[in-house]
Amino acid sequence: MDDDTRRHPRRLQHQGRRKAALVCHYLPLALGLGLTGCVQGGGLTPMGESLVAPWRTGDAAERAEALPYASLVVTSEGNEALMVMAYRSGGNGRDTYWQAGDRATLHLRDGLPMTSAGFDAALLGQLRDAPGDAGRYRLHAHWRDGDGTEHLATANASLECGTPRPLALPLTTLALERCTERLSWQGGGRTINRLWRDPVSRRIWAGDVTAWPDGQRLRWQVARPWWTDAEDAATSHAGAGEAPE
């Protein structure tokens, strides 16, 4: 996710906001139980089939452009997927739930990974404490490895953001701050995460992170955003160097 000077039409930037592909009738419950797909008699629903079709052809940007829904391009474990927002909840829709064509799911809170399902290992939760002196804070991670064993870990964290620079996203190019999050895990080991955020609204448009010690890298870029300009205006801005909202 290095800075790129490729340009895409800015007119696409605001398309698809707040739209969700409600692939299941009871998606919140399904996500809470570890989403296994929207099925009827073992197959996708007609709506599910219509959503999956664009994922089967073209690159990620083409697939995102073909769907009028809020979407992410996600890379993990050597695979790239287009994930469509299926549900949002909380104040200003701070919790968003995403599903890929292979039924892998991702839950973001304030634009950052919170839980996942359908991967070799699963993120079960992540919490960042409020920043203290000098903008430092703690990050708590809870995950389950491929053998089914659950783990907990805590890291001392700091965040530094640079001057906004153009970043090519799937459907547009924006001037974003590149933020570096440094984690020192209490059990040993260090992790460097990178986030790209809007310098005014602090919305996170892209990330390249390891959610727990020695975990797989998770990379994502927002294709079609899910928030509105009104929601951005209502969002309180944190000071420079604070933990991501």
Side-chain angles (χ1 to χ4, degrees), residues 5-93:
T5 57
R6 291 181 293 117
R7 296 285 172 173
H8 299 278
R10 290 184 63 88
R11 64 184 177 80
L12 294 174
Q13 177 183 344
H14 299 295
Q15 293 182 6
R17 290 186 169 182
R18 296 180 61 88
K19 290 186 178 181
L22 297 179
V23 190
C24 291
H25 294 296
Y26 302 102
L27 185 59
L29 175 60
L31 285 165
L33 296 175
L35 187 62
T36 58
C38 308
V39 298
Q40 287 182 337
L44 289 170
T45 64
M47 180 180 288
E49 285 287 358
S50 69
L51 291 174
V52 169
W55 286 318
R56 293 173 175 154
T57 58
D59 63 19
E62 291 174 346
R63 296 194 298 271
E65 188 171 2
L67 291 172
Y69 304 107
S71 57
L72 308 173
V73 176
V74 178
T75 303
S76 184
E77 300 175 353
N79 297 310
E80 180 182 85
L82 178 69
M83 304 191 86
V84 172
M85 187 177 74
Y87 184 72
R88 63 180 296 193
S89 64
N92 281 340

Side-chain angles (χ1 to χ4, degrees), residues 45-232:
T45 64
M47 180 180 288
E49 285 287 358
S50 69
L51 291 174
V52 169
W55 286 318
R56 293 173 175 154
T57 58
D59 63 19
E62 291 174 346
R63 296 194 298 271
E65 188 171 2
L67 291 172
Y69 304 107
S71 57
L72 308 173
V73 176
V74 178
T75 303
S76 184
E77 300 175 353
N79 297 310
E80 180 182 85
L82 178 69
M83 304 191 86
V84 172
M85 187 177 74
Y87 184 72
R88 63 180 296 193
S89 64
N92 281 340
R94 67 180 305 210
D95 288 289
T96 56
Y97 301 86
W98 305 82
Q99 186 172 16
D102 63 0
R103 300 171 185 171
T105 62
L106 180 66
H107 165 200
L108 301 183
R109 174 166 292 170
D110 299 324
L112 292 169
M114 175 59 65
T115 63
S116 67
F119 300 88
D120 290 342
L123 178 62
L124 302 180
Q126 195 172 81
L127 174 67
R128 287 170 172 80
D129 293 342
D133 295 338
R136 299 184 180 276
Y137 53 97
R138 285 192 175 186
L139 182 147
H140 309 272
H142 180 199
W143 73 99
R144 183 174 57 244
D145 64 26
D147 295 328
T149 304
E150 293 189 18
H151 305 266
L152 295 169
T154 300
N156 294 317
S158 65
L159 186 74
E160 297 179 356
C161 298
T163 302
R165 295 181 60 186
L167 178 70
L169 298 162
L171 298 180
T172 190
T173 296
L174 297 175
L176 302 174
E177 297 175 336
R178 175 173 169 166
C179 301
T180 300
E181 183 182 53
R182 292 181 170 85
L183 305 175
S184 296
W185 298 98
Q186 292 184 351
R190 297 177 181 273
T191 299
I192 294 179
N193 294 333
R194 290 187 172 85
L195 304 167
W196 286 262
R197 71 182 189 184
D198 186 280
V200 177
S201 69
R202 304 294 175 89
R203 293 283 189 180
I204 296 173
W205 281 83
D208 181 354
V209 308
T210 299
W212 60 79
D214 299 321
Q216 290 277 351
R217 296 298 288 187
L218 175 67
R219 301 176 178 89
W220 75 95
Q221 291 185 321
V222 174
R224 294 186 187 273
W226 60 93
W227 57 83
T228 66
D229 292 337
E231 287 172 334
D232 275 352

